[in-house]
Structure formats: C-alpha cells, structure tokens
Amino acid sequence: MTLDPFMQAAIEEAEKGLAEGGIPIGSVLVHHGKIIGRGHNRRVQSGSPTLHGEMDALENAGRQPAKVYQESTLYTTLSPCAMCSGAILLYGIPKVVIGEHKTFLGEEELLVSRGVELDVVHNERCVELMDLFISASPELWNEDIGE
Amino acid sequence: MTLDPFMQAAIEEAEKGLAEGGIPIGSVLVHHGKIIGRGHNRRVQSGSPTLHGEMDALENAGRQPAKVYQESTLYTTLSPCAMCSGAILLYGIPKVVIGEHKTFLGEEELLVSRGVELDVVHNERCVELMDLFISASPELWNEDIGE
C-alpha cells in the first residue's frame, strides 16, 4: 500500500525529532494539496512545553486567515492531545489524519463531537517510533502528556 | 476592592501587549503563591498563531513536572479559547482565574465538565483593554479567534 505523501512528510518530521533526541511526533498542515506548515515536537530540543508536533506545524505555518485553516487538513503521527485538539477547534480545521492512536488516545471523541472529520491510518512506523522513544525515555514521554 | 496581585500581574502583561501594538491579553501561572511563568499574546509581535497569553505564560514557565501544574493556578485576563483550555486540560491545571468573559466566552463549560475550578472576576480594566483593541483592530482580533 502506498503511503499518503502528507503522512509520509509527518513521519519524516517525527524521524527528524528522534534524530535530534526529541519526542518523535511530527505534523504537517496541508492547504489545497500543499504543505503550508511542518513541524515536530520540541520539548527536548527547545525546552518547550507548548510546541507539540501539531503546534509546531501551526506555528511554522505562521499567521493565516481563518479561511485557510477552514480549508486545511492537519496530518499528525499521533492522536492529538487536549492542547493540540483545542488548537484544531480554535482554528476550525475540518479534518485531521492521525498516524496512530495505539500509543496514546487523545481527544478524538471531543473532536468528532464538534464535527471534525478524523481518519486514523494505523501506521506501523508511527507506532514503532513511539515505542523506540518511550522504551528509552519513559519520563520524557510522561512529562509531555502531563503525567 | 483590592485586586488580587496575580490578576494585577496578568493585567500588566496585557498592558505590555497593548503598548507593543499587540492583542492585550495577559496571563500568569502561579505555583504555591509564586509566579513561575508570565506572558501575553504574541500574534502581532512574533507573528505567532499559537502564543496566546496563556500559552506564552506556559511557554515562559518552561518544562515543569506534572506535579507543578497540578498544584498551580492560571490567571488570564480573558476567558480561555479552545487551544488554551486544551493546554489547561493537558497539564491538569486545577484552577483558572479569569479576568472577564464578556468580550469572549471561551471553553468554560468544557473546563468545568472536566473538573477545572473557574473564578470569573469580571474585571473592568480587562474589558476596557479588549474594547480599546477591538475597536481599533477588529480584523486582528478575529484572526486570533479563527474568525
């Protein structure tokens, strides 16, 4: 099966994060078939508690008019936490493609209840990246999800 | 009536934001009676779509163990949007003191449903700061709330 190029780009971001010693979660924001923002979790690299992968992609997309978000799809390698789900709701992003939700199940129920379309693609590489990281640094992962 | 010094600090952050030409929303994170992070909305100043006042305060507090958030109170001059509410839920911040919710009513219902204690103090200076900004730059305010 061919992997969606946008999920592939999100995975590449996650892999960059792992190579930097960071938490391997990546994300891209796609508008009309074009990546307008890409990023990965920066807790370790920048000491940031707010730059999860999804937030970093939004940050790197820069300021956008409401209409752009409302026509975009967010790709993320891991089910979005409450903060990232809140950002999706704030900006009215209508669709989120999720690499996996086996490692961590975020606020998918809340997103669906607000009309966001979710597509969980159960990608094995996404799971493997998290397994690699969590087995090496469980405390960093717990910190990232406030546990 | 004497103003809570932490709400006063959040208002000072909002005022700094206004003086910089930014959206006047400020926030402080308080742990055991001490401010550990303070910030204000940085959409205009840093071109940031993610650094709302509350997010900037969290970012400036840096990486904290889960326990610190769980013992902290977040002060914000304006009712927290979906993104900032999500961050509050992610980190399990148990109490939020809100300057006003007349200009904008955020995700207060969601926060309460998840057990977060809210205290809306109906501060007139908080309302005034937003009135000043929105009457001058309605388009910037709309952008900030994804409208």
Side-chain angles (χ1 to χ4, degrees):
Chain A
M1 204 183 90
T2 316
L3 188 59
D4 179 322
F6 299 127
M7 182 51 70
Q8 185 57 49
I11 293 172
E12 283 163 15
E13 285 292 326
E15 287 171 339
K16 268 190 221 171
L18 191 69
E20 294 163 1
I23 303 174
I25 304 169
S27 178
V28 296
L29 183 66
V30 175
H31 181 244
H32 288 179
K34 196 182 149 221
I35 295 176
I36 59 169
R38 51 195 306 153
H40 52 269
N41 186 298
R42 302 221 174 251
R43 175 170 298 274
V44 173
Q45 300 92 317
S46 311
S48 174
T50 71
L51 289 175
H52 277 187
E54 300 91 321
M55 303 295 284
D56 195 42
L58 290 170
E59 186 68 8
N60 291 334
R63 286 171 53 186
Q64 297 289 342
K67 193 169 179 292
V68 170
Y69 295 111
Q70 291 160 10
E71 295 168 350
S72 290
T73 298
L74 185 72
Y75 289 74
T76 174
T77 57
L78 184 66
S79 184
C81 81
M83 174 174 66
C84 299
S85 296
I88 291 159
L89 294 176
L90 168 65
Y91 288 120
I93 297 171
K95 184 171 177 181
V96 182
V97 181
I98 297 170
E100 64 115 340
H101 62 187
K102 193 169 118 182
T103 304
F104 173 80
L105 180 60
E107 292 280 349
E108 294 183 14
E109 207 173 303
L110 175 66
L111 289 170
V112 169
S113 78
R114 300 288 181 94
V116 179
E117 183 188 343
L118 302 185
D119 183 8
V120 183
V121 300
H122 306 285
N123 179 282
E124 279 311 308
R125 180 61 180 152
C126 294
V127 176
E128 186 183 43
L129 285 165
M130 289 305 291
D131 282 351
L132 279 167
F133 184 83
I134 295 174
S135 60
S137 307
E139 75 294 349
L140 280 174
W141 170 238
N142 285 339
E143 184 189 302
D144 204 52
I145 52 171
E147 281 180 7
Chain B
M1 204 182 89
T2 317
L3 187 59
D4 178 321
F6 299 127
M7 183 51 71
Q8 185 56 50
I11 293 172
E12 284 163 14
E13 284 293 325
E15 286 170 339
K16 268 190 221 171
L18 190 70
E20 293 164 1
I23 303 174
I25 304 170
S27 177
V28 297
L29 183 66
V30 176
H31 181 244
H32 289 178
K34 196 182 148 221
I35 295 176
I36 61 169
R38 53 194 306 152
H40 53 268
N41 187 298
R42 302 220 174 253
R43 175 171 299 273
V44 174
Q45 299 93 319
S46 311
S48 173
T50 72
L51 290 176
H52 276 187
E54 301 91 322
M55 304 295 283
D56 195 42
L58 290 170
E59 186 69 9
N60 290 334
R63 286 171 53 187
Q64 298 289 342
K67 194 169 180 293
V68 169
Y69 295 111
Q70 291 160 10
E71 295 168 349
S72 290
T73 298
L74 186 71
Y75 289 74
T76 174
T77 57
L78 183 67
S79 185
C81 80
M83 174 174 66
C84 299
S85 297
I88 290 160
L89 294 176
L90 169 65
Y91 288 120
I93 298 170
K95 183 171 177 181
V96 183
V97 182
I98 297 169
E100 64 115 341
H101 62 187
K102 193 169 117 183
T103 304
F104 174 78
L105 180 62
E107 292 280 348
E108 293 184 14
E109 208 173 302
L110 175 66
L111 289 171
V112 169
S113 78
R114 300 288 180 94
V116 179
E117 184 188 342
L118 301 185
D119 183 8
V120 183
V121 301
H122 306 286
N123 179 282
E124 278 310 309
R125 179 62 179 153
C126 294
V127 176
E128 185 183 44
L129 284 165
M130 290 304 292
D131 281 352
L132 278 167
F133 184 82
I134 295 173
S135 60
S137 306
E139 74 295 348
L140 281 173
W141 170 238
N142 285 339
E143 185 189 301
D144 203 53
I145 52 171
E147 281 180 6

